[in-house]
Amino acid sequence: MENNKKKILIVEDEKTISEILEYTITREGYEAVCAFDGITALELALGGNFDLILLDVMLPGIDGFEVCSKVREVLDTPIIMLTAREEEADKVQGLELGADDYMTKPFSHAELISRIKANIRRYHNEARTPVIKDAQDASVITINGLTIDTKSYSVKKNGKSISLSKKEYDLLEFFAKNRGTVFQREEIMEKVWGYDGFYGDLRTVDVTLSRIRKKIEENPAEPEYIQNKRGVGYLML
Ligand code: CA
């Protein structure tokens, strides 16, 4: 363990859950700071230099979605949304607002720690390696009117800017750099989200992909860029 403890903000209004999260996280060697309402969470998140934020959706004051979108206006700290509800709409909304991932309560400690590790590792790797990455690859990828600039992380379709969340961009860039190769959702989860084993929720891939399609495809129901290979996975032609 390095001297520099990674700092995690826990935003959860239910005291018992918050205490369990704090215990689990500090036992793993992280430093934990707890917030119990949305306003405090936002203040802490913006000023606290955190390595990751665990963010409950239902909170007093302002809810987790609002905290997420306000944080994303200025910071790219990894955010894992914690939702008590299974509804797909919650997940879609969280991912659209720029959350990196979500977990549905209840979840195991092992799963929580695995996801925290993966998100922090990916965040710090990305911050450290962009120059090397760009030196090796062509910095602008063009595919049938779609332009992906890997230096500025920007995407254009026929010259018009397309606004993508961080994860949507990562996923699109991943496919664009691996054209012609079919990837299973498990592999995508591992390569784009950084999860190994079975800890990621595979629907995250489908949800993020469907959001990308709505933004880049003429007809999202008949996608021309990223195709389904039924029973196998996805590929970009
Ligand atoms: Ca709550």
Side-chain angles (χ1 to χ4, degrees):
M1 198 87 236
E2 5 175 359
N3 293 331
N4 250 355
K5 277 194 178 180
K6 298 276 186 283
K7 219 164 115 186
I8 296 174
L9 177 62
I10 299 168
V11 186
E12 169 62 75
D13 60 316
E14 280 170 65
K15 269 262 158 57
T16 48
I17 298 178
S18 173
E19 277 167 13
I20 293 167
L21 290 172
E22 186 182 11
Y23 174 77
T24 308
I25 284 166
T26 50
R27 196 183 51 176
E28 219 32 61
Y30 297 104
E31 183 185 338
V33 175
C34 298
F36 303 95
D37 66 86
I39 309 259
T40 312
L42 187 56
E43 281 170 9
L44 284 169
L46 295 181
N49 198 19
F50 288 96
D51 296 286
L52 183 129
I53 300 168
L54 291 177
L55 183 55
D56 184 29
V57 172
M58 300 303 286
L59 292 167
I62 55 175
D63 70 16
F65 291 132
E66 198 173 342
V67 174
C68 179
S69 71
K70 289 232 157 64
V71 170
R72 269 292 167 272
E73 285 171 17
V74 278
L75 294 174
D76 59 356
T77 314
I79 297 176
I80 301 177
M81 305 286 300
L82 308 177
T83 170
R85 295 174 292 177
E86 258 298 352
E87 279 113 48
E88 201 68 28
D90 282 356
K91 296 164 184 174
V92 176
Q93 193 183 350
L95 294 173
E96 185 178 15
L97 293 171
D100 295 84
D101 199 5
Y102 62 85
M103 296 181 76
T104 306
K105 292 183 258 187
F107 39 77
S108 74
H109 295 182
E111 181 177 11
L112 175 71
I113 295 300
S114 166
R115 297 227 201 166
I116 287 173
K117 279 185 181 158
N119 275 283
I120 290 182
R121 188 175 55 229
R122 189 183 36 71
Y123 176 55
H124 288 286
N125 282 346
E126 278 173 6
R128 239 183 292 128
T129 55
V131 177
I132 297 159
K133 195 168 88 184
D134 285 345
Q136 287 171 340
D137 306 326
S139 67
V140 177
I141 303 167
T142 306
I143 302 162
N144 299 338
L146 191 70
T147 310
I148 302 163
D149 186 331
T150 61
K151 277 208 174 96
S152 61
Y153 305 101
S154 59
V155 175
K156 286 181 179 170
K157 170 89 184 278
N158 299 326
K160 234 181 98 197
S161 282
I162 291 175
S163 170
L164 298 176
S165 76
K166 177 76 177 62
K167 266 289 153 284
E168 288 163 4
Y169 175 84
D170 290 345
L171 186 56
L172 181 61
E173 188 193 282
F174 171 75
F175 277 116
K177 284 185 170 171
N178 294 285
R179 288 177 72 182
T181 306
V182 181
F183 291 98
Q184 297 180 328
R185 294 188 302 168
E186 288 85 350
E187 290 177 89
I188 296 168
M189 206 73 218
E190 192 184 313
K191 295 209 158 71
V192 179
W193 274 263
Y195 295 144
D196 30 74
F198 301 93
Y199 286 121
D201 184 335
L202 295 178
R203 284 170 301 178
T204 305
V205 175
D206 306 325
V207 169
T208 307
L209 185 58
S210 101
R211 299 227 57 89
I212 296 174
R213 282 177 171 161
K214 280 184 193 146
K215 294 176 180 180
I216 67 170
E217 298 284 358
E218 292 301 324
N219 178 6
E222 286 173 36
E224 67 171 299
Y225 292 106
I226 299 169
Q227 314 270 340
N228 293 20
K229 278 272 170 204
R230 205 164 287 282
V232 188
Y234 296 111
L235 89 159
M236 190 165 209
L237 293 171

